[in-house]
Amino acid sequence: MQLTYVYDAYCGRSYGSARTLAALSARHPRLPVEVVSGGPFTGARRVPVREFGQVQGADARITELTGVPFGEAYERLIADGSCVMDSAAAARADFRRARELGVDGYPTLLAVDGGGRTTVLATGHATARRLEAGLAALHSPR
């Protein structure tokens, strides 16, 4: 089995989930992790951040849930509102893998078994406890 972590460089939830994923990986050092860059901010969604409206409120909630702070320079950039988030430019990757996996929410953590069967462990914020429970359920007899 491996974990597949689908994230986006501009996604606040992806940023906030980094510590949780690091903690999970530390507890399972032999469990491989594939990191796939998704692409929520491409095409018609490649617009100035002010057009999303909820970013500052969402970031505050992410900090509340995860304890991960957003820096002052980032806060100024978001408050200015003119920054255009462009997932393709940030990732320079082919987003086909994320689409093949059916991922449209970020971040997403998947467990992929040796036969290629995929189980969603989390989309968006998840605690380490929730991820551990998901992994344990996959290993328990059915």
Side-chain angles (χ1 to χ4, degrees), residues 30-67:
R30 294 180 184 215
L31 185 60
V33 178
E34 173 190 22
V35 179
V36 177
S37 182
F41 305 109
T42 58
R45 291 186 50 90
R46 188 187 166 278
V47 297
V49 71
R50 75 173 67 80
E51 294 188 27
F52 290 100
Q54 80 280 7
V55 174
Q56 288 171 312
D59 289 348
R61 179 73 174 138
I62 291 163
T63 296
E64 179 184 323
L65 289 170
T66 66

mmCIF file of all heavy atoms in Angstrom, residues 30-67:
data_model
loop_
_atom_site.group_PDB
_atom_site.id
_atom_site.type_symbol
_atom_site.label_atom_id
_atom_site.label_comp_id
_atom_site.label_asym_id
_atom_site.label_seq_id
_atom_site.Cartn_x
_atom_site.Cartn_y
_atom_site.Cartn_z
ATOM 1 N N ARG A 30 7.745 3.392 6.661
ATOM 2 C CA ARG A 30 7.876 2.450 5.543
ATOM 3 C C ARG A 30 6.722 2.550 4.555
ATOM 4 O O ARG A 30 6.713 1.842 3.556
ATOM 5 C CB ARG A 30 7.978 1.029 6.069
ATOM 6 C CG ARG A 30 9.255 0.825 6.843
ATOM 7 C CD ARG A 30 9.350 -0.573 7.361
ATOM 8 N NE ARG A 30 10.553 -0.678 8.183
ATOM 9 C CZ ARG A 30 11.281 -1.735 8.250
ATOM 10 N NH1 ARG A 30 10.957 -2.811 7.571
ATOM 11 N NH2 ARG A 30 12.343 -1.756 9.023
ATOM 12 N N LEU A 31 5.778 3.427 4.834
ATOM 13 C CA LEU A 31 4.622 3.602 3.949
ATOM 14 C C LEU A 31 4.968 4.666 2.913
ATOM 15 O O LEU A 31 5.138 5.837 3.236
ATOM 16 C CB LEU A 31 3.403 4.038 4.768
ATOM 17 C CG LEU A 31 2.072 4.155 4.049
ATOM 18 C CD1 LEU A 31 1.663 2.816 3.436
ATOM 19 C CD2 LEU A 31 1.006 4.628 5.025
ATOM 20 N N PRO A 32 5.127 4.267 1.646
ATOM 21 C CA PRO A 32 5.500 5.241 0.617
ATOM 22 C C PRO A 32 4.404 6.298 0.416
ATOM 23 O O PRO A 32 3.218 6.005 0.555
ATOM 24 C CB PRO A 32 5.658 4.407 -0.653
ATOM 25 C CG PRO A 32 5.582 2.985 -0.251
ATOM 26 C CD PRO A 32 4.967 2.923 1.102
ATOM 27 N N VAL A 33 4.826 7.509 0.098
ATOM 28 C CA VAL A 33 3.889 8.605 -0.164
ATOM 29 C C VAL A 33 4.192 9.165 -1.551
ATOM 30 O O VAL A 33 5.302 9.619 -1.818
ATOM 31 C CB VAL A 33 4.009 9.732 0.888
ATOM 32 C CG1 VAL A 33 3.054 10.877 0.554
ATOM 33 C CG2 VAL A 33 3.731 9.199 2.283
ATOM 34 N N GLU A 34 3.198 9.121 -2.427
ATOM 35 C CA GLU A 34 3.285 9.764 -3.738
ATOM 36 C C GLU A 34 2.653 11.135 -3.584
ATOM 37 O O GLU A 34 1.550 11.261 -3.046
ATOM 38 C CB GLU A 34 2.510 8.951 -4.776
ATOM 39 C CG GLU A 34 2.407 9.639 -6.125
ATOM 40 C CD GLU A 34 1.437 8.952 -7.075
ATOM 41 O OE1 GLU A 34 0.542 8.210 -6.630
ATOM 42 O OE2 GLU A 34 1.576 9.179 -8.290
ATOM 43 N N VAL A 35 3.323 12.173 -4.026
ATOM 44 C CA VAL A 35 2.800 13.528 -3.960
ATOM 45 C C VAL A 35 2.421 13.955 -5.373
ATOM 46 O O VAL A 35 3.244 13.900 -6.279
ATOM 47 C CB VAL A 35 3.824 14.511 -3.343
ATOM 48 C CG1 VAL A 35 3.273 15.917 -3.310
ATOM 49 C CG2 VAL A 35 4.212 14.047 -1.940
ATOM 50 N N VAL A 36 1.151 14.349 -5.534
ATOM 51 C CA VAL A 36 0.620 14.734 -6.840
ATOM 52 C C VAL A 36 0.089 16.154 -6.737
ATOM 53 O O VAL A 36 -0.690 16.466 -5.832
ATOM 54 C CB VAL A 36 -0.522 13.790 -7.282
ATOM 55 C CG1 VAL A 36 -1.122 14.234 -8.600
ATOM 56 C CG2 VAL A 36 -0.024 12.356 -7.367
ATOM 57 N N SER A 37 0.505 16.993 -7.641
ATOM 58 C CA SER A 37 0.004 18.359 -7.658
ATOM 59 C C SER A 37 -1.290 18.410 -8.446
ATOM 60 O O SER A 37 -1.343 18.009 -9.603
ATOM 61 C CB SER A 37 1.032 19.288 -8.301
ATOM 62 O OG SER A 37 0.556 20.609 -8.271
ATOM 63 N N GLY A 38 -2.344 18.883 -7.786
ATOM 64 C CA GLY A 38 -3.642 19.042 -8.451
ATOM 65 C C GLY A 38 -3.684 20.392 -9.147
ATOM 66 O O GLY A 38 -2.683 21.089 -9.244
ATOM 67 N N GLY A 39 -4.823 20.782 -9.586
ATOM 68 C CA GLY A 39 -4.899 22.034 -10.330
ATOM 69 C C GLY A 39 -6.210 22.768 -10.191
ATOM 70 O O GLY A 39 -6.902 22.962 -11.184
ATOM 71 N N PRO A 40 -6.585 23.200 -8.979
ATOM 72 C CA PRO A 40 -7.867 23.905 -8.856
ATOM 73 C C PRO A 40 -7.852 25.311 -9.451
ATOM 74 O O PRO A 40 -8.907 25.838 -9.791
ATOM 75 C CB PRO A 40 -8.118 23.951 -7.355
ATOM 76 C CG PRO A 40 -6.753 23.933 -6.749
ATOM 77 C CD PRO A 40 -5.935 23.060 -7.681
ATOM 78 N N PHE A 41 -6.691 25.908 -9.590
ATOM 79 C CA PHE A 41 -6.618 27.287 -10.077
ATOM 80 C C PHE A 41 -6.006 27.315 -11.472
ATOM 81 O O PHE A 41 -4.896 27.789 -11.686
ATOM 82 C CB PHE A 41 -5.839 28.167 -9.099
ATOM 83 C CG PHE A 41 -6.406 28.127 -7.702
ATOM 84 C CD1 PHE A 41 -5.734 27.485 -6.687
ATOM 85 C CD2 PHE A 41 -7.634 28.707 -7.434
ATOM 86 C CE1 PHE A 41 -6.265 27.435 -5.408
ATOM 87 C CE2 PHE A 41 -8.180 28.651 -6.167
ATOM 88 C CZ PHE A 41 -7.488 28.011 -5.149
ATOM 89 N N THR A 42 -6.758 26.764 -12.411
ATOM 90 C CA THR A 42 -6.356 26.754 -13.811
ATOM 91 C C THR A 42 -7.551 27.208 -14.641
ATOM 92 O O THR A 42 -8.677 27.283 -14.151
ATOM 93 C CB THR A 42 -5.929 25.345 -14.259
ATOM 94 O OG1 THR A 42 -7.004 24.437 -14.052
ATOM 95 C CG2 THR A 42 -4.695 24.862 -13.511
ATOM 96 N N GLY A 43 -7.300 27.499 -15.885
ATOM 97 C CA GLY A 43 -8.388 27.884 -16.784
ATOM 98 C C GLY A 43 -9.183 29.060 -16.256
ATOM 99 O O GLY A 43 -8.615 30.074 -15.838
ATOM 100 N N ALA A 44 -10.497 28.915 -16.206
ATOM 101 C CA ALA A 44 -11.390 30.001 -15.772
ATOM 102 C C ALA A 44 -11.213 30.344 -14.299
ATOM 103 O O ALA A 44 -11.607 31.428 -13.865
ATOM 104 C CB ALA A 44 -12.848 29.615 -16.043
ATOM 105 N N ARG A 45 -10.623 29.434 -13.495
ATOM 106 C CA ARG A 45 -10.394 29.719 -12.068
ATOM 107 C C ARG A 45 -9.044 30.399 -11.825
ATOM 108 O O ARG A 45 -8.647 30.614 -10.697
ATOM 109 C CB ARG A 45 -10.511 28.439 -11.247
ATOM 110 C CG ARG A 45 -11.952 27.941 -11.199
ATOM 111 C CD ARG A 45 -12.136 26.769 -10.276
ATOM 112 N NE ARG A 45 -11.593 26.915 -8.947
ATOM 113 C CZ ARG A 45 -12.253 27.414 -7.895
ATOM 114 N NH1 ARG A 45 -13.486 27.834 -8.043
ATOM 115 N NH2 ARG A 45 -11.667 27.480 -6.713
ATOM 116 N N ARG A 46 -8.346 30.749 -12.881
ATOM 117 C CA ARG A 46 -7.079 31.490 -12.778
ATOM 118 C C ARG A 46 -7.432 32.976 -12.798
ATOM 119 O O ARG A 46 -7.452 33.607 -13.837
ATOM 120 C CB ARG A 46 -6.168 31.126 -13.952
ATOM 121 C CG ARG A 46 -4.794 31.679 -13.833
ATOM 122 C CD ARG A 46 -3.996 31.426 -15.111
ATOM 123 N NE ARG A 46 -2.806 32.233 -15.100
ATOM 124 C CZ ARG A 46 -2.751 33.515 -15.457
ATOM 125 N NH1 ARG A 46 -3.823 34.142 -15.888
ATOM 126 N NH2 ARG A 46 -1.617 34.179 -15.390
ATOM 127 N N VAL A 47 -7.745 33.501 -11.621
ATOM 128 C CA VAL A 47 -8.226 34.880 -11.479
ATOM 129 C C VAL A 47 -7.554 35.529 -10.276
ATOM 130 O O VAL A 47 -6.991 34.844 -9.420
ATOM 131 C CB VAL A 47 -9.765 34.918 -11.291
ATOM 132 C CG1 VAL A 47 -10.480 34.363 -12.519
ATOM 133 C CG2 VAL A 47 -10.191 34.169 -10.045
ATOM 134 N N PRO A 48 -7.629 36.873 -10.168
ATOM 135 C CA PRO A 48 -7.089 37.527 -8.976
ATOM 136 C C PRO A 48 -7.766 36.989 -7.710
ATOM 137 O O PRO A 48 -8.971 36.705 -7.703
ATOM 138 C CB PRO A 48 -7.413 39.003 -9.192
ATOM 139 C CG PRO A 48 -7.525 39.147 -10.672
ATOM 140 C CD PRO A 48 -8.125 37.838 -11.146
ATOM 141 N N VAL A 49 -6.992 36.851 -6.655
ATOM 142 C CA VAL A 49 -7.466 36.257 -5.409
ATOM 143 C C VAL A 49 -8.686 36.995 -4.843
ATOM 144 O O VAL A 49 -9.520 36.384 -4.183
ATOM 145 C CB VAL A 49 -6.308 36.147 -4.394
ATOM 146 C CG1 VAL A 49 -5.908 37.508 -3.870
ATOM 147 C CG2 VAL A 49 -6.657 35.201 -3.276
ATOM 148 N N ARG A 50 -8.835 38.280 -5.115
ATOM 149 C CA ARG A 50 -9.989 39.019 -4.594
ATOM 150 C C ARG A 50 -11.315 38.447 -5.081
ATOM 151 O O ARG A 50 -12.333 38.584 -4.441
ATOM 152 C CB ARG A 50 -9.893 40.507 -4.928
ATOM 153 C CG ARG A 50 -10.202 40.850 -6.366
ATOM 154 C CD ARG A 50 -10.281 42.354 -6.656
ATOM 155 N NE ARG A 50 -9.037 43.074 -6.537
ATOM 156 C CZ ARG A 50 -8.095 43.101 -7.475
ATOM 157 N NH1 ARG A 50 -8.261 42.443 -8.615
ATOM 158 N NH2 ARG A 50 -6.993 43.776 -7.301
ATOM 159 N N GLU A 51 -11.295 37.756 -6.219
ATOM 160 C CA GLU A 51 -12.528 37.197 -6.773
ATOM 161 C C GLU A 51 -13.020 35.965 -6.010
ATOM 162 O O GLU A 51 -14.154 35.546 -6.192
ATOM 163 C CB GLU A 51 -12.351 36.890 -8.259
ATOM 164 C CG GLU A 51 -12.151 38.156 -9.075
ATOM 165 C CD GLU A 51 -12.165 37.911 -10.554
ATOM 166 O OE1 GLU A 51 -12.811 36.937 -11.007
ATOM 167 O OE2 GLU A 51 -11.528 38.714 -11.270
ATOM 168 N N PHE A 52 -12.183 35.415 -5.155
ATOM 169 C CA PHE A 52 -12.606 34.266 -4.348
ATOM 170 C C PHE A 52 -13.317 34.707 -3.079
ATOM 171 O O PHE A 52 -14.086 33.944 -2.518
ATOM 172 C CB PHE A 52 -11.427 33.351 -4.032
ATOM 173 C CG PHE A 52 -10.941 32.618 -5.238
ATOM 174 C CD1 PHE A 52 -9.829 33.048 -5.932
ATOM 175 C CD2 PHE A 52 -11.617 31.511 -5.707
ATOM 176 C CE1 PHE A 52 -9.388 32.371 -7.056
ATOM 177 C CE2 PHE A 52 -11.193 30.831 -6.839
ATOM 178 C CZ PHE A 52 -10.074 31.270 -7.514
ATOM 179 N N GLY A 53 -13.034 35.891 -2.583
ATOM 180 C CA GLY A 53 -13.764 36.465 -1.466
ATOM 181 C C GLY A 53 -13.565 35.839 -0.104
ATOM 182 O O GLY A 53 -13.496 36.551 0.875
ATOM 183 N N GLN A 54 -13.472 34.551 -0.004
ATOM 184 C CA GLN A 54 -13.444 33.878 1.290
ATOM 185 C C GLN A 54 -12.048 33.519 1.777
ATOM 186 O O GLN A 54 -11.916 32.882 2.810
ATOM 187 C CB GLN A 54 -14.320 32.621 1.241
ATOM 188 C CG GLN A 54 -13.674 31.409 0.579
ATOM 189 C CD GLN A 54 -13.686 31.397 -0.938
ATOM 190 O OE1 GLN A 54 -14.063 32.360 -1.583
ATOM 191 N NE2 GLN A 54 -13.253 30.301 -1.525
ATOM 192 N N VAL A 55 -11.016 33.909 1.084
ATOM 193 C CA VAL A 55 -9.671 33.432 1.398
ATOM 194 C C VAL A 55 -9.243 33.784 2.819
ATOM 195 O O VAL A 55 -8.786 32.923 3.569
ATOM 196 C CB VAL A 55 -8.635 33.938 0.368
ATOM 197 C CG1 VAL A 55 -7.226 33.557 0.771
ATOM 198 C CG2 VAL A 55 -8.962 33.390 -1.016
ATOM 199 N N GLN A 56 -9.381 35.041 3.231
ATOM 200 C CA GLN A 56 -8.914 35.423 4.566
ATOM 201 C C GLN A 56 -9.681 34.679 5.660
ATOM 202 O O GLN A 56 -9.095 34.214 6.636
ATOM 203 C CB GLN A 56 -9.003 36.932 4.751
ATOM 204 C CG GLN A 56 -7.940 37.650 3.933
ATOM 205 C CD GLN A 56 -8.120 39.151 3.907
ATOM 206 O OE1 GLN A 56 -9.211 39.637 3.664
ATOM 207 N NE2 GLN A 56 -7.047 39.863 4.166
ATOM 208 N N GLY A 57 -10.992 34.554 5.511
ATOM 209 C CA GLY A 57 -11.774 33.805 6.490
ATOM 210 C C GLY A 57 -11.404 32.329 6.514
ATOM 211 O O GLY A 57 -11.314 31.716 7.579
ATOM 212 N N ALA A 58 -11.193 31.765 5.336
ATOM 213 C CA ALA A 58 -10.805 30.355 5.253
ATOM 214 C C ALA A 58 -9.433 30.139 5.872
ATOM 215 O O ALA A 58 -9.217 29.162 6.602
ATOM 216 C CB ALA A 58 -10.810 29.893 3.799
ATOM 217 N N ASP A 59 -8.508 31.045 5.620
ATOM 218 C CA ASP A 59 -7.170 30.918 6.198
ATOM 219 C C ASP A 59 -7.213 31.003 7.723
ATOM 220 O O ASP A 59 -6.512 30.264 8.414
ATOM 221 C CB ASP A 59 -6.235 31.983 5.633
ATOM 222 C CG ASP A 59 -5.884 31.732 4.176
ATOM 223 O OD1 ASP A 59 -6.164 30.628 3.656
ATOM 224 O OD2 ASP A 59 -5.329 32.652 3.548
ATOM 225 N N ALA A 60 -8.047 31.888 8.259
ATOM 226 C CA ALA A 60 -8.189 31.988 9.716
ATOM 227 C C ALA A 60 -8.714 30.672 10.280
ATOM 228 O O ALA A 60 -8.250 30.196 11.327
ATOM 229 C CB ALA A 60 -9.117 33.142 10.076
ATOM 230 N N ARG A 61 -9.654 30.059 9.593
ATOM 231 C CA ARG A 61 -10.218 28.778 10.043
ATOM 232 C C ARG A 61 -9.157 27.676 9.950
ATOM 233 O O ARG A 61 -9.066 26.815 10.827
ATOM 234 C CB ARG A 61 -11.446 28.426 9.195
ATOM 235 C CG ARG A 61 -12.089 27.129 9.563
ATOM 236 C CD ARG A 61 -12.844 27.220 10.869
ATOM 237 N NE ARG A 61 -13.551 25.963 11.088
ATOM 238 C CZ ARG A 61 -13.623 25.360 12.241
ATOM 239 N NH1 ARG A 61 -13.121 25.910 13.315
ATOM 240 N NH2 ARG A 61 -14.256 24.213 12.353
ATOM 241 N N ILE A 62 -8.352 27.699 8.905
ATOM 242 C CA ILE A 62 -7.283 26.708 8.763
ATOM 243 C C ILE A 62 -6.302 26.822 9.920
ATOM 244 O O ILE A 62 -5.902 25.816 10.516
ATOM 245 C CB ILE A 62 -6.567 26.873 7.403
ATOM 246 C CG1 ILE A 62 -7.514 26.454 6.274
ATOM 247 C CG2 ILE A 62 -5.256 26.087 7.348
ATOM 248 C CD1 ILE A 62 -7.102 26.941 4.906
ATOM 249 N N THR A 63 -5.935 28.050 10.270
ATOM 250 C CA THR A 63 -5.035 28.260 11.407
ATOM 251 C C THR A 63 -5.680 27.763 12.694
ATOM 252 O O THR A 63 -5.030 27.111 13.521
ATOM 253 C CB THR A 63 -4.648 29.746 11.523
ATOM 254 O OG1 THR A 63 -3.916 30.104 10.347
ATOM 255 C CG2 THR A 63 -3.794 30.006 12.747
ATOM 256 N N GLU A 64 -6.964 28.039 12.860
ATOM 257 C CA GLU A 64 -7.694 27.587 14.053
ATOM 258 C C GLU A 64 -7.686 26.056 14.149
ATOM 259 O O GLU A 64 -7.469 25.500 15.219
ATOM 260 C CB GLU A 64 -9.129 28.106 13.987
ATOM 261 C CG GLU A 64 -10.008 27.697 15.141
ATOM 262 C CD GLU A 64 -11.438 28.183 14.937
ATOM 263 O OE1 GLU A 64 -11.642 29.292 14.415
ATOM 264 O OE2 GLU A 64 -12.355 27.420 15.297
ATOM 265 N N LEU A 65 -7.907 25.380 13.046
ATOM 266 C CA LEU A 65 -7.978 23.918 13.045
ATOM 267 C C LEU A 65 -6.624 23.245 13.171
ATOM 268 O O LEU A 65 -6.497 22.198 13.800
ATOM 269 C CB LEU A 65 -8.637 23.428 11.752
ATOM 270 C CG LEU A 65 -10.121 23.680 11.598
ATOM 271 C CD1 LEU A 65 -10.572 23.360 10.174
ATOM 272 C CD2 LEU A 65 -10.915 22.854 12.606
ATOM 273 N N THR A 66 -5.601 23.824 12.537
ATOM 274 C CA THR A 66 -4.313 23.137 12.423
ATOM 275 C C THR A 66 -3.199 23.734 13.271
ATOM 276 O O THR A 66 -2.186 23.080 13.489
ATOM 277 C CB THR A 66 -3.824 23.150 10.962
ATOM 278 O OG1 THR A 66 -3.531 24.498 10.576
ATOM 279 C CG2 THR A 66 -4.870 22.547 10.024
ATOM 280 N N GLY A 67 -3.354 24.983 13.671
ATOM 281 C CA GLY A 67 -2.281 25.666 14.385
ATOM 282 C C GLY A 67 -1.199 26.192 13.460
ATOM 283 O O GLY A 67 -0.207 26.761 13.914
#
